[in-house]
Amino acid sequence: MKFTKFFSGYINTQGSPNLQPDQFKQLMNLVHLEGQIMAIDKTIEKFKNIDSSHKYEMLKTPILRQIDEVSKGLSPSELLDSWHQ
């Protein structure tokens, strides 16, 4: 949840970043995708004694790939900097 935590902290300390609509959409996509990863992790934890965690881990791979695509492989601070150039 590195993007969610970074931007939450940023908003709490510096207020909302001034973003273009496509940049805001990109940010919301990242937060949503990280939420999906968190949900899968909670499912793995809940069913760790019942089910194979491997099948749930497989669900994470395409989402992690999407996060990398949407973020262009940048860290949260690098992404924010790229938006302000």
Side-chain angles (χ1 to χ4, degrees):
M1 304 271 312
K2 68 181 181 180
F3 289 95
T4 303
K5 287 179 183 177
F6 175 85
F7 285 104
S8 175
Y10 182 92
I11 290 167
N12 285 334
T13 59
Q14 299 183 29
S16 296
N18 187 17
L19 302 175
Q20 298 296 321
D22 61 320
Q23 294 167 334
F24 182 75
K25 181 180 172 184
Q26 190 177 6
L27 173 59
M28 291 295 100
N29 284 340
L30 289 167
V31 169
H32 173 73
L33 291 168
E34 285 185 330
Q36 287 183 320
I37 294 292
M38 187 173 73
I40 292 169
D41 286 342
K42 285 184 177 185
T43 301
I44 290 169
E45 182 62 28
K46 184 172 183 173
F47 296 112
K48 67 182 175 188
N49 294 327
I50 300 171
D51 224 345
S52 168
S53 64
H54 175 70
K55 73 179 184 180
Y56 299 110
E57 288 289 340
M58 291 182 349
L59 296 172
K60 290 171 59 172
T61 302
I63 299 169
L64 292 169
R65 197 170 296 129
Q66 278 184 290
I67 289 172
D68 195 49
E69 288 174 17
V70 172
S71 69
K72 300 172 186 155
L74 300 173
S75 71
S77 60
E78 291 170 334
L79 183 61
L80 182 62
D81 288 343
S82 77
W83 288 339
H84 289 121
Q85 293 180 357

